[in-house]
Amino acid sequence: MTESLHIVCPHCHTTNRVHTDQLGSAPDCGSCKKPLFTGKPVDLDLAAFDKHLLRNQIPLLVDFWAPWCGPCRQMAPAYVQAAGQLEPRIRVAKVDTEAHQALGTRYQIRSIPTLALFVGGREVARQAGAMGAADIVRWVQQHTPR
C-alpha cells in the first residue's frame, strides 16, 4: 500500500492527496488542474502561508525578504535555483515582510533575508543572510528528516 501526503496547491491553495510514489511524476491539482510543483518559490500572503504551513505534509522552506533589500534581491536567483533542486520533497516559498508585516512579526524576523524551515508546522531551523543555491540546498538537507 502506498502512503499518501497532503500537498497544498501553489496556485489555488487547495489541499490535495498525493501518493508518495507520484511526487516525482509532476502531479496536478485536483481543483485547478495546475502543477502542484513548479520548481519556483511560491509567494505567500498570511492566509496562504497558514494553509501551506499547517496542511502540507512536506517541509516548508520560507525566505522572509523585502523588495528594498539588496542582499534579498542578490539571493533571489539562487533561491529559485535551490527550489528547482528541492521540490517535490520540500515546498519552497517566499514571504514579502514589507507587504505582510504580521508574518515577519509573528516569526520575529529581525534581519532579512532569513530562511526558516518548518516541519510538521513547527520551525526547526533558521538562517539569516544571503546564501548561494548549493548552500541553501545543503542547509535544508542538514535540517530535514530523512
Side-chain angles (χ1 to χ4, degrees), residues 6-91:
H6 289 158
I7 305 294
V8 179
C9 177
H11 308 284
C12 70
H13 309 293
T14 299
T15 303
N16 291 263
R17 181 171 289 151
V18 178
H19 292 286
T20 54
D21 61 351
Q22 294 175 333
L23 281 178
S25 331
D28 290 335
C29 176
S31 181
C32 73
K33 308 301 182 210
K34 293 182 180 176
L36 289 177
F37 298 101
T38 63
K40 296 181 219 161
V42 180
D43 290 312
L44 299 179
D45 60 15
L46 181 61
F49 179 90
D50 287 337
K51 279 188 177 182
H52 283 266
L53 177 68
L54 300 173
R55 294 186 183 166
N56 266 323
Q57 289 183 312
I58 57 174
L60 174 66
L61 175 64
V62 181
D63 173 18
F64 290 94
W65 71 287
W68 50 262
C69 167
C72 298
R73 289 193 316 268
Q74 183 182 15
M75 186 176 84
Y79 195 64
V80 170
Q81 187 179 357
Q85 296 174 45
L86 292 169
E87 284 191 347
R89 299 175 324 277
I90 310 287
R91 170 64 74 211

Side-chain angles (χ1 to χ4, degrees), residues 78 81-82 85 131-139 141:
Q81 187 179 357
Q85 296 174 45
M131 296 171 29
D135 292 326
I136 294 168
V137 170
R138 191 173 19 261
W139 179 80
Q141 289 172 342

Side-chain angles (χ1 to χ4, degrees), residues 88-107:
R89 299 175 324 277
I90 310 287
R91 170 64 74 211
V92 180
K94 294 179 73 82
V95 170
D96 178 349
T97 57
E98 189 74 16
H100 308 291
Q101 293 179 10
L103 283 170
T105 301
R106 181 195 300 178
Y107 290 100

Side-chain angles (χ1 to χ4, degrees), residues 108-124:
Q108 300 176 355
I109 303 301
R110 301 283 183 247
S111 64
I112 52 176
T114 292
L115 296 181
L117 181 64
F118 299 87
V119 176
R122 283 190 319 92
E123 184 177 340
V124 297

